[in-house]
Amino acid sequence: KNQVEQSPQSLIILEGKNCTLQCNYTVSPFSNLRWYKQDTGRGPVSLTIMTFSENTKSNGRYTATLDADTKQSSLHITASQLSDSASYICVVSAAGGSYIPTFGRGTSLIVHP
Amino acid sequence: KAGVTQTPRYLIKTRGQQVTLSCSPISGHRSVSWYQQTPGQGLQFLFEYFSETQRNKGNFPGRFSGRQFSNSRSEMNVSTLELGDSALYLCASSLDRVGYEQYFGPGTRLTVT
């Protein structure tokens, strides 16, 4: 069964600090992995998308890494801002079939001033 | 380019009633997917429509149905509403496949009383 596990479930950090969120998956065969940011009451917004051959991708202060061998990904946020407070969702899609994505439960990040 | 729009944004219904939600994808996008998001289950895939045909379906009862029109706009219908159907319903569009870059709408918050 395809699964995506995210950790930690929640995280509280001070403004200006860095943090790293983790995503482990068992989706196979792998097609792509995406990170989304979802503000409360809004739809998710795409941060990065990575295919099998990519092991790092950046979007401003967000940097995602992918280790396809260990089936792990991380999202690193640099110099956090209050606006980074949101839920971060890892999504993995399988290849060669329906491409239906499997979603993680998300990590809730709170940035305090 | 306008983003994904969903109507209505908020809805309150009574158990046993039915509801229809609407989604307009980004211009040029032919794939429209629907998701249910609840605090307990996270984001769950309902179904995907492509060129007016249901291409993929998640693990939801037959009370959940949808359709897509020739202009790619999509509607989702839930019949015989249950309290557990209270959720944020998200629509996402992509160029041609659910497993690739998706753009989410703001969602419709459905409350069943």
Side-chain angles (χ1 to χ4, degrees), chain A residues 31-32 34 36 38 41-49 51 87 89 91 93-95 97-105, chain B residues 9-10 35 37 39-45 48 55-58 88 90 97-107 109:
Chain A
S31 173
N32 65 76
R34 293 165 273 162
Y36 285 90
Q38 185 176 23
R42 294 176 175 255
V45 174
S46 179
L47 294 175
T48 63
I49 178 169
T51 58
S87 179
I89 302 170
V91 186
S93 290
S98 63
Y99 291 87
I100 293 175
T102 302
F103 290 80
R105 294 281 184 96
Chain B
R9 291 294 313 277
Y10 303 92
Y35 300 88
Q37 186 176 33
Q41 297 295 324
L43 268 155
Q44 293 184 284
F45 174 77
E48 181 212 4
R55 189 160 64 175
N56 291 296
K57 190 177 190 304
L88 180 67
L90 292 160
R97 193 170 285 282
V98 65
Y100 286 87
E101 191 76 64
Q102 287 185 292
Y103 299 85
F104 284 83
R109 171 71 64 186

Side-chain angles (χ1 to χ4, degrees), chain A:
Chain A
K1 182 185 176 183
N2 290 334
Q3 286 188 310
V4 175
E5 300 287 341
Q6 291 188 244
S7 62
Q9 189 173 348
S10 61
L11 185 61
I12 300 174
I13 62 174
L14 291 176
E15 186 179 14
K17 297 297 186 182
N18 303 335
C19 67
T20 300
L21 314 180
Q22 300 290 342
C23 173
N24 296 336
Y25 62 92
T26 57
V27 176
S28 183
F30 176 84
S31 173
N32 65 76
L33 184 146
R34 293 165 273 162
W35 283 95
Y36 285 90
K37 177 188 178 189
Q38 185 176 23
D39 293 315
T40 302
R42 294 176 175 255
V45 174
S46 179
L47 294 175
T48 63
I49 178 169
M50 288 183 291
T51 58
F52 185 87
S53 59
E54 298 171 296
N55 55 24
T56 186
K57 185 162 279 189
S58 293
N59 178 359
R61 295 179 296 103
Y62 301 100
T63 299
T65 63
L66 173 65
D67 186 333
D69 291 331
T70 61
K71 298 187 178 180
Q72 295 180 324
S73 175
S74 64
L75 180 69
H76 186 74
I77 304 175
T78 304
S80 61
Q81 300 176 358
L82 298 179
S83 59
D84 292 332
S85 294
S87 179
Y88 292 83
I89 302 170
C90 176
V91 186
V92 183
S93 290
S98 63
Y99 291 87
I100 293 175
T102 302
F103 290 80
R105 294 281 184 96
T107 291
S108 176
L109 174 66
I110 298 174
V111 180
H112 279 313

